[in-house]
Amino acid sequence: MIKAKVLLDRDFDIGAVDDRLFGAFIEHLGRCVYEGIYEPGHPTADKQGFRQDVMALVRELGPTIMRYPGGNFVSGYNWEEGVGPVEDRPVRLDLAWFSKEPNLFGTNEFIDWCRMAGIEPMLAVNLGTRDGDAARNMLEYCNFPGGTAWSDLRRKHGWEKPHGVKFWCLGNEMDGPWQMESKTADEYGRRAYEAAKMMRWIDPSIELAACGSSARSMATYGQWEQTVLEHTFDQVEYISLHTYLNNYAGDTAAFLACPDLMDTFIEEVVAIADSVAAKRRSSKRIMLSFDEWNVWYRTRRDRATRVKEGWPVAPPILEEIYTMEDALAFGGACISLLNHADRVKTACLAQLVNVIAPIMTEKGGAAWRQTIFWPFAQMSRFGRGHALRAKVDSPTYDATYYDPRGKQDNYYPIAAAPYLKLSAIADRGTKGLNLMMLNRHLTEPLSVEVMARGFSGKSVVAAMTLHDKDLQAVNSAAAPDRVAPRKLGRISLDGERIKLTLPPASWSVVSLA
Ligand code: AHR
């Protein structure tokens, strides 16, 4: 058994966790929309074709904000073709995923779906094949009350009241050569600035996110953020970050350490954003929108494969089946986000259903939770409050993370990764303390002693652990609960002192209220 000590204090605060940290993402990609959230004719579908079995799982998962409609897809999307009478909507080739897009589901259906789910919509505009003109028209269609051509068109389509969408993404991954009409940082920065300016003139209450790098491993990373923010600083509130964790190397210890690189990534982007502010002697702080994050590596596809497969509608692509070890790395990412609550204000798990997703469905059949469903649902439930600065004294290990998608050196050393990765939340509702903990030791239980100053007189109201001896265990339609949280035993409370033992290779949550 290895041992760790934690010291925290109710008054040592990182920052308030924004509810938008628990976001997710729906892209027109594979079976995320079609056969995912939308399947007319499914036994549980309502009159709009929204699958209610999926809706129930989404409510349980607890996302707060939903990004739409892409992703790579948005860079070729004509939003006008996804509104109005369905029979008039064209079928288009989607060059992002080499699929056909039937446009049966579009912006208005998405807004209705979000309202039904109690989720805030986040829309992305196309700054790939299109520009500020299409973006400002879309905003006018969505948010302007009426009396203009675009807003009256929305009313004619059946949505009398404006959608009031607050959060808008200015394109997607515009630095990536795989993107339709990718750009240099200067080209994108200028275009994003002009689009943002017009959008804000129409609706000054909106919040805007500029595209950061599509990965920390991009050759242009750093310079891209700097240049884009130099153009857009006065017109945006956020810069985006994207990360997909992988275990290509089959090195589980390194895989579980790699969320620490997310910490580095966040801190680097904060430094760049603040350097742009410093040059302007500005007190404005650009916040971070981590609007794509997850584990993803088994189902990545090259363009040649996609071309060979033709142009299907809603093909079963990127249907990553998540293992127990994926859930652990994923849990580490949850902790990284929470521990940067002062600057990361929005984050979106990519994606929601079927496509690299916590929820899987069968056409006409069942829906079930993947392993990664659990850390997300628990983060959303127990992460509401203030993130506390915890001093973690834990044995550590060194690892080398391999990312073949890197454009420079593919090997990333991670020095002194603590076996215990932890987030402590002062719960807004219960006034208690929630601990989210990852034991990254693959074979040893971890004995943890927490000195929680300012939290005496509490009792344990929830204690759960996600652990399975088989790190390759998965959930499926036949065995949907193979990997699920179980009770975490042996917790002792003595005043402000908490003692507990985490199983090897486990994600655990303890809530005191
Ligand atoms: O989430 C899948 C894809 O990953 C998105 O479309 C793109 O933005 C990213 O590269």
Side-chain angles (χ1 to χ4, degrees):
M1 169 121 53
I2 55 170
K3 292 183 179 169
K5 283 194 170 182
V6 178
L7 173 65
L8 57 89
D9 190 304
R10 183 188 273 288
D11 291 329
F12 294 172
D13 191 88
I14 295 171
V17 180
D18 195 307
D19 281 354
R20 288 168 168 176
L21 199 71
F22 314 115
F25 176 29
I26 291 173
E27 177 167 1
H28 283 259
L29 194 183
R31 300 193 308 123
C32 186
V33 172
Y34 308 111
E35 298 178 23
I37 59 169
Y38 171 84
E39 190 182 331
H42 186 275
T44 71
D46 67 5
K47 61 180 188 327
Q48 284 185 279
F50 300 161
R51 278 183 69 155
Q52 294 304 308
D53 57 343
V54 173
M55 184 64 82
L57 286 176
V58 170
R59 290 202 177 104
E60 186 186 329
L61 183 72
T64 47
I65 189 165
M66 195 65 61
R67 185 167 177 252
Y68 174 87
N72 296 340
F73 172 81
V74 79
S75 294
Y77 186 49
N78 298 325
W79 68 269
E80 305 87 333
E81 297 174 350
V83 298
V86 171
E87 57 281 11
D88 296 342
R89 299 186 195 174
V91 175
R92 290 279 180 208
L93 292 183
D94 165 28
L95 307 191
W97 302 106
F98 280 69
S99 309
K100 280 199 202 87
E101 172 51 54
N103 280 311
L104 303 175
F105 185 100
T107 304
N108 295 322
E109 290 80 19
F110 171 69
I111 298 288
D112 281 355
W113 184 89
C114 284
R115 301 291 178 231
M116 183 179 284
I119 294 171
E120 179 185 348
M122 171 196 288
L123 290 177
V125 296
N126 175 356
L127 291 187
T129 60
R130 303 192 72 185
D131 57 17
D133 192 41
R136 68 159 176 148
N137 292 343
M138 184 181 183
L139 183 74
E140 186 179 322
Y141 179 92
C142 288
N143 282 12
F144 203 73
T148 66
W150 288 115
S151 55
D152 285 346
L153 187 62
R154 181 201 69 240
R155 294 166 69 202
K156 188 171 147 206
H157 290 160
W159 283 266
E160 177 61 30
K161 288 205 179 121
H163 295 327
V165 177
K166 286 283 169 249
F167 199 110
W168 294 77
C169 305
L170 296 163
N172 176 70
E173 294 192 350
M174 296 308 306
D175 60 331
W178 57 86
Q179 205 69 213
M180 284 173 263
E181 295 205 20
S182 61
K183 312 249 176 310
T184 65
D186 277 310
E187 287 166 349
Y188 168 69
R190 278 290 303 140
R191 185 179 289 217
Y193 173 81
E194 290 298 333
K197 192 176 78 183
M198 291 191 286
M199 291 168 79
R200 212 181 278 289
W201 280 342
I202 294 171
D203 183 351
S205 74
I206 58 173
E207 293 178 70
L208 292 163
C211 290
S213 297
S214 47
R216 182 171 178 254
S217 56
M218 295 296 286
T220 48
Y221 168 59
Q223 190 56 53
W224 173 274
E225 281 73 5
Q226 182 87 30
T227 306
V228 166
L229 282 176
E230 270 160 11
H231 283 288
T232 59
F233 188 86
D234 293 328
Q235 286 294 350
V236 303
E237 283 78 21
Y238 303 89
I239 181 95
S240 74
L241 295 82
H242 291 179
T243 286
Y244 291 101
L245 311 176
N246 82 78
N247 190 10
Y248 283 111
D251 179 345
T252 300
F255 184 37
L256 301 194
C258 80
D260 292 10
L261 294 172
M262 269 176 81
D263 297 319
T264 309
F265 187 18
I266 291 167
E267 287 153 23
E268 287 169 350
V269 174
V270 165
I272 296 166
D274 290 354
S275 79
V276 177
K279 280 202 220 163
R280 294 167 179 249
R281 285 80 167 160
S282 171
S283 59
K284 174 174 175 177
R285 287 294 171 264
I286 298 287
M287 297 295 165
L288 275 47
S289 173
F290 216 123
D291 51 35
E292 286 188 32
W293 68 274
N294 198 349
V295 172
W296 175 26
Y297 64 105
R298 300 175 186 90
T299 56
R300 286 198 179 260
R301 296 144 49 80
D302 58 27
R303 215 154 274 265
T305 318
R306 292 185 213 159
V307 174
K308 264 191 251 140
E309 288 167 0
W311 299 89
V313 174
I317 56 174
L318 278 60
E319 299 203 357
E320 195 100 350
I321 302 303
Y322 288 108
T323 61
M324 174 66 215
E325 83 173 17
D326 293 336
L328 298 177
F330 183 98
C334 294
I335 292 171
S336 293
L337 293 171
L338 289 166
N339 283 345
H340 291 91
D342 53 337
R343 294 304 290 266
V344 183
K345 292 296 174 186
T346 308
C348 300
L349 155 60
Q351 298 192 5
L352 183 70
V353 188
N354 291 328
V355 171
I356 46 172
I359 298 169
M360 292 298 292
T361 69
E362 285 172 338
K363 182 177 183 182
W368 64 97
R369 304 169 193 84
Q370 294 232 60
T371 61
I372 60 168
F373 183 99
W374 294 111
F376 187 94
Q378 293 177 333
M379 166 173 79
S380 177
R381 177 166 164 212
F382 294 105
R384 314 287 178 114
H386 273 254
L388 300 179
R389 198 169 298 284
K391 180 174 177 289
V392 176
D393 183 7
S394 157
T396 62
Y397 66 106
D398 296 336
T400 303
Y401 176 62
Y402 172 65
D403 185 357
R405 297 179 59 80
K407 298 287 179 258
Q408 293 167 330
D409 188 354
N410 294 332
Y411 293 91
Y412 299 82
I414 303 169
Y419 283 108
L420 175 64
K421 192 169 170 81
L422 169 141
S423 165
I425 304 292
D427 192 294
R428 198 167 60 208
T430 67
K431 309 289 178 219
L433 173 69
N434 301 330
L435 300 172
M436 279 161 260
M437 294 163 287
L438 187 63
N439 175 9
R440 302 196 261 202
H441 203 293
L442 301 182
T443 53
E444 291 287 323
L446 176 58
S447 155
V448 182
E449 186 178 321
V450 183
M451 173 54 74
R453 288 188 194 147
F455 290 102
S456 62
K458 306 288 178 201
S459 50
V460 178
V461 290
M464 291 157 287
T465 189
L466 196 65
H467 162 68
D468 197 301
K469 283 207 173 81
D470 179 4
L471 287 178
Q472 299 313 312
V474 299
N475 292 342
S476 62
D481 301 319
R482 168 73 175 82
V483 179
R486 323 255 176 247
K487 193 172 178 316
L488 177 71
R490 290 193 292 156
I491 302 175
S492 75
L493 275 184
D494 176 12
E496 297 175 326
R497 195 177 305 274
I498 309 154
K499 285 187 184 168
L500 49 92
T501 303
L502 305 175
S506 62
W507 154 272
S508 306
V509 177
V510 170
S511 177
L512 308 180

